[in-house]
Amino acid sequence: MKVFSVRGIKIFYDEKLDGGGTSFGQLYVLIIKRLIGKLKTCFEAFSGPAFIGFSLLAHNLCEELVVADINPEAINYVKMTIEETKLRGKVLCFRCVGRNTG
């Protein structure tokens, strides 16, 4: 297990789940800040461990966060991040289930 920290939010993950969220995914913070500004709710689809979403929350670009992914392992890490960083009530996560995923 690894930890990626953004402004006091520790995001828990397994290295195989990092599709770029700890690197170029952080550019979304700058893009949202410059082009959109603060929002009430941000939604990250296909979130994995939700590096982008948690980073937007850490930078105060949203008040609440909703994330969704099909991978149960990724959602388990999101839940761990929510619990360990005391973000219950600010973050909702969903595991998407399709025909081939059970």
Side-chain angles (χ1 to χ4, degrees), residues 53-67:
F54 282 120
S55 295
L56 293 172
L57 194 63
H59 284 271
N60 201 31
L61 290 170
C62 59
E63 295 174 28
E64 57 190 21
L65 174 64
V66 179
V67 301

Side-chain angles (χ1 to χ4, degrees), residues 6 9 15-17 23 31 41 47 52-53 55 61 64 70 73 86 89 91 96 98:
V6 180
I9 294 180
E15 192 169 5
K16 69 182 177 211
L17 295 173
S23 57
I31 292 167
T41 305
S47 68
I52 296 168
S55 295
L61 290 170
E64 57 190 21
I70 199 166
E73 185 179 8
K86 298 177 180 23
V91 182
C96 303

Side-chain angles (χ1 to χ4, degrees), residues 27-37 39 56 61:
L27 293 173
Y28 281 94
V29 172
L30 300 173
I31 292 167
I32 298 297
K33 188 175 188 176
R34 178 176 281 182
L35 297 179
I36 298 172
L39 300 166
L56 293 172
L61 290 170

